Amino acid sequence: MNAQQTAVPAGRDEVFQVEAHGIDPIPDEERHGSAKDVFWLWFGSNLTFTYVINGALAVAFGLSFWQSTAVVVIGGLAFFGISAAGLSGIRTGTATLVISRAAFGVRGNWPAGLLNWIVSIGYTIVNTVVGTLALEAFFADLGWSAGPVPRATALAVTLALTFAVALWGHATVQFAERWMAYALAVGFAALLVFLLPGADTGAPSAAPGASGWSLAFVVMLAGPFSYVPMPADYTRYLPRTTSLRSVTWSGALGGFLSSVALGVAGVAAATQTDMTDAVAGAEQLLPSWFQPLFLALVLGGSVTNSIITLYSSSLNLQVLGIPWSRAKAIVISAAVTAVGSLGALFLTDFTASLLSFLSLLIIVFAPWGGVFLADMVLRRCRYDTDALHEGAGGGYWYRAGYHPAGMTALLAGMLFAALTCDSELWTGPLVAPLGGADLTLLGAPVAALVYALLARGRTAVPAPVAP
């Protein structure tokens, strides 16, 4: 057991104060808040321009306006599962990637934890680059010509906004997400008003086919699915009396409303103009007076999303065994993000390569999420909190630190996902026989089914802890 897991100084979770806790269980006397806090977290963090890009991609894959809209809505419904997973944080008071030790074993959980940190940093870099380019364009509108100096300045501002909030910790993250959501919601609502009336709702000249439909679903569901290793990070401070129903509906509505609204905006824009460069494409459909505000929306949305991924990455490093406090560990994530962002902004091939790599990792994270969620259901979301933080000999050590059922199910899901994946870096041998369909995300239910068959009746359910 690491020192930071046992000897954490008592301290309240307050705005603009550095959070004392990391992955150690939050004591009942320090629990606070309500389910509505989860609404603002998921609503604010998903008011990001990424969903506009995703909606535009659905049209690029050959779907009509209404077909693309249906895929956007179905993708938004995935937030019900993500939000429900937050109950594990309420029950244990610790982070998601600690709780997943119950499904995979203490050692078996480590590889996915490392990959999740890489993915978190990767998406933080992507969001940082998008925000930096938007701020650079804003500088250009003010007369500061393009060049390395304004771009580097824009990067520094974007990183500072993200790092400061994430460094302070949980309370400040929730505070910032709520107040930024107020402003971003108004701005993105105006964006939808400008883009929606001109949408072409006619049918496409050719049917999208299995490939178009599957790729659209992969893009839409990959966003919510990327949050599977995070929900408990933001519910672990809630009182034990918080109900599954309230936390599920609050978080799900937050993620659903923002992701669907912006996804539909992207669909509408893509039926009117070329969205290869999504920011430039959407900008030309807007009145000139709104364009500077639009760039501010892109920046703000990038920051709100980067905040939660950067914050969770610091908890992730503690799970991997970094013997530092959360506040110190986040410096590592921020430094890697800064270096990666510099590469993405000044080495043009880096961004495309990074996105291709991140898209390929869904082969791992779809099955991982399936096993984790299946384990949570089988245990009725009840865990031995002390055992989650124990090493050899603990309740979740299993065989040499690996849970055979969890590891077998994970490998089965990964095999299915790899065989049916269609990405720039890898095309599975079953893609062509399936008519070009990409079924990578089905690796999640495959892994969940295998785990349920292997682990049913073997997952001990501790008695509920009294509030």
Side-chain angles (χ1 to χ4, degrees):
M1 189 181 297
N2 291 332
Q4 79 269 19
Q5 296 173 354
T6 55
V8 176
R12 294 183 59 83
D13 180 40
E14 296 182 349
V15 177
F16 303 131
Q17 291 188 13
V18 176
E19 179 188 5
H21 289 290
I23 62 173
D24 54 295
I26 307 301
D28 286 341
E29 61 270 18
E30 295 184 36
R31 304 283 192 100
H32 62 90
S34 65
K36 68 181 180 181
D37 296 329
V38 184
F39 170 86
W40 290 111
L41 177 93
W42 292 116
F43 181 71
S45 63
N46 286 286
L47 285 171
T48 173
F49 194 73
T50 301
Y51 287 105
V52 176
I53 298 173
N54 291 348
L57 284 173
V59 176
F61 293 144
L63 276 66
S64 70
F65 174 86
W66 293 113
Q67 290 170 336
S68 299
T69 298
V71 174
V72 168
V73 171
I74 293 171
L77 292 174
F79 279 101
F80 279 90
I82 303 303
S83 189
L87 181 63
S88 60
I90 297 171
R91 292 277 176 84
T92 63
T94 192
T96 304
L97 282 168
V98 174
I99 301 166
S100 60
R101 290 169 176 168
F104 300 99
V106 176
R107 285 178 172 169
N109 189 60
W110 200 92
L114 176 61
L115 285 175
N116 181 71
W117 181 78
I118 294 172
V119 170
S120 296
I121 296 302
Y123 280 117
T124 305
I125 291 171
V126 171
N127 277 316
T128 300
V129 168
V130 171
T132 298
L133 294 177
L135 186 55
E136 182 186 24
F138 182 77
F139 288 159
D141 289 343
L142 296 178
W144 193 1
S145 58
V149 174
R151 175 166 289 191
T153 303
L155 174 60
V157 171
T158 305
L159 285 171
L161 290 172
T162 304
F163 176 69
V165 174
L167 174 66
W168 271 315
H170 177 267
T172 310
V173 167
Q174 290 199 320
F175 175 84
E177 294 292 348
R178 177 191 289 259
W179 286 99
M180 292 180 73
Y182 293 154
L184 291 174
V186 173
F188 277 119
L191 176 70
L192 189 60
V193 169
F194 289 131
L195 296 179
L196 199 55
D200 180 2
T201 58
S205 56
S211 176
W213 279 104
S214 65
L215 289 172
F217 274 112
V218 167
V219 167
M220 294 302 169
L221 290 169
F225 232 89
S226 67
Y227 293 123
V228 173
M230 297 184 191
D233 301 1
Y234 304 101
T235 58
R236 70 195 205 281
Y237 277 93
L238 292 179
R240 292 184 189 274
T241 52
T242 308
S243 69
L244 170 62
R245 181 176 182 178
S246 63
V247 77
T248 298
W249 275 95
S250 294
L253 285 176
F256 178 84
L257 290 174
S258 50
S259 64
V260 169
L262 297 189
V264 171
V267 171
T271 64
Q272 302 172 65
T273 188
D274 180 13
M275 290 286 283
T276 303
D277 182 339
V279 173
E283 190 175 13
Q284 69 180 12
L285 298 174
L286 303 172
S288 57
W289 64 266
F290 187 76
Q291 290 176 5
L293 295 176
F294 167 69
L295 295 174
L297 290 175
V298 176
L299 171 62
S302 298
V303 169
T304 60
N305 195 262
S306 292
I307 285 171
I308 68 166
T309 54
L310 189 60
Y311 174 80
S312 286
S313 74
S314 64
L315 298 176
N316 197 157
L317 286 174
Q318 287 192 315
V319 174
L320 294 175
I322 298 295
W324 293 353
S325 68
R326 181 208 59 83
K328 289 181 179 178
I330 204 171
V331 175
I332 298 176
S333 296
V336 175
T337 298
V339 172
S341 299
L342 284 169
L345 288 165
F346 295 98
L347 302 174
T348 55
D349 293 336
F350 182 85
T351 303
S353 300
L354 178 63
L355 286 171
S356 297
F357 172 67
L358 293 174
S359 67
L360 190 63
L361 286 182
I362 199 165
I363 291 176
V364 177
F365 281 100
W368 185 94
V371 174
F372 173 73
L373 295 174
D375 180 75
M376 190 179 74
V377 172
L378 288 177
R379 296 179 190 276
R380 289 178 284 168
C381 209
R382 294 176 186 164
Y383 302 88
D384 183 337
T385 303
D386 291 336
L388 288 171
H389 295 275
E390 294 174 350
Y396 300 118
W397 186 251
Y398 302 112
R399 296 182 184 176
Y402 299 90
H403 188 195
M407 300 307 294
T408 301
L410 176 62
L411 292 174
M414 288 174 58
L415 177 61
F416 179 89
L419 291 174
T420 58
C421 175
D422 183 14
S423 71
E424 290 186 12
L425 297 179
W426 168 259
T427 300
L430 296 183
V431 171
L434 290 170
D438 184 334
L439 304 182
T440 313
L441 286 171
L442 291 183
V446 168
L449 178 60
V450 173
Y451 185 76
L453 292 174
L454 295 177
R456 181 179 293 276
R458 300 182 181 181
T459 50
V461 180
V465 177

